[in-house]
Amino acid sequence: MEEQIYPETPTLLVNETSKVHLKIAARWAKFLSIVGFIGCGIMILVSFFIGTIFSSINSMKSLAAAGNDMPVSSVSGPTFSYLMTGFYLIFAILYFFPTLYLYRFATQLKLAIQHENQDYLDGSFQNISKMFRFIGICTVIMLLLYGVIIICTVGLALFIAR
């Protein structure tokens, strides 16, 4: 006996009030995803110029400190530039995926409401689920990283204090 994906009598209905709220959610999701794509683009552009920006700031510090005999900390050089470029590119890539899932959610939800198509609705909910899963996994990773940093910092402080 084959199992049906959709039962004959729906157990969950999307009434007109829900459709209105879903349309509003889709509009906001699309707006936020477009802003997110723009943010990703800006991060990628900044990643290629961040080394030059820090180098300029460092040279201004050097000029300002030249007359005062003050030591100047240096954060320039090719290694730092590559690290900052990589850092910004990684964050742009990490930011891209939830933004893409949010955009797909918005477009498929809009189509689902317009055409009253269950497959589009399922796809939209699948994409919002992927977005939340991605953000959740990133949050867990960051919390673990914070925990490791705190433990290492406390351990180092205790080691130095002896």
Side-chain angles (χ1 to χ4, degrees), residues 8-109:
E8 292 296 323
T9 57
T11 56
L12 183 67
L13 295 174
V14 180
N15 61 17
E16 290 305 313
T17 304
S18 296
K19 285 181 185 178
V20 169
H21 292 298
L22 287 172
K23 282 180 187 178
I24 293 169
R27 280 191 221 123
W28 279 108
K30 190 166 188 175
F31 169 74
L32 291 173
S33 64
I34 290 170
V35 170
F37 285 134
I38 292 169
C40 284
I42 291 171
M43 273 196 248
I44 290 170
L45 285 175
V46 167
S47 74
F48 293 113
F49 297 110
I50 196 72
T52 307
I53 293 168
F54 275 107
S55 178
S56 298
I57 291 171
N58 205 25
S59 65
M60 284 190 272
K61 277 184 178 179
S62 297
L63 289 174
N68 299 334
D69 295 330
M70 294 173 46
V72 178
S73 63
S74 177
V75 291
S76 64
T79 304
F80 181 75
S81 177
Y82 296 144
L83 284 174
M84 290 304 292
T85 298
F87 182 75
Y88 271 80
L89 285 175
I90 287 169
F91 274 107
I93 291 168
L94 287 175
Y95 191 53
F96 174 78
F97 287 106
T99 303
L100 177 64
Y101 295 141
L102 186 62
Y103 181 78
R104 288 178 180 170
F105 163 75
T107 55
Q108 288 183 346
L109 183 58

Side-chain angles (χ1 to χ4, degrees), residues 141-155:
I141 290 170
M142 289 305 297
L143 289 173
L144 290 173
L145 185 62
Y146 288 155
V148 168
I149 290 170
I150 289 170
I151 290 170
C152 289
T153 304
V154 169

Side-chain angles (χ1 to χ4, degrees), residues 91-143:
F91 274 107
I93 291 168
L94 287 175
Y95 191 53
F96 174 78
F97 287 106
T99 303
L100 177 64
Y101 295 141
L102 186 62
Y103 181 78
R104 288 178 180 170
F105 163 75
T107 55
Q108 288 183 346
L109 183 58
K110 185 178 176 184
L111 289 172
I113 293 169
Q114 283 176 350
H115 301 293
E116 295 192 10
N117 186 317
Q118 185 67 40
D119 291 332
Y120 285 135
L121 186 63
D122 292 343
S124 70
F125 287 138
Q126 182 182 17
N127 278 295
I128 201 72
S129 174
K130 285 180 182 180
M131 185 196 79
F132 283 123
R133 185 180 322 126
F134 187 91
I135 291 173
I137 290 169
C138 287
T139 302
V140 168
I141 290 170
M142 289 305 297
L143 289 173

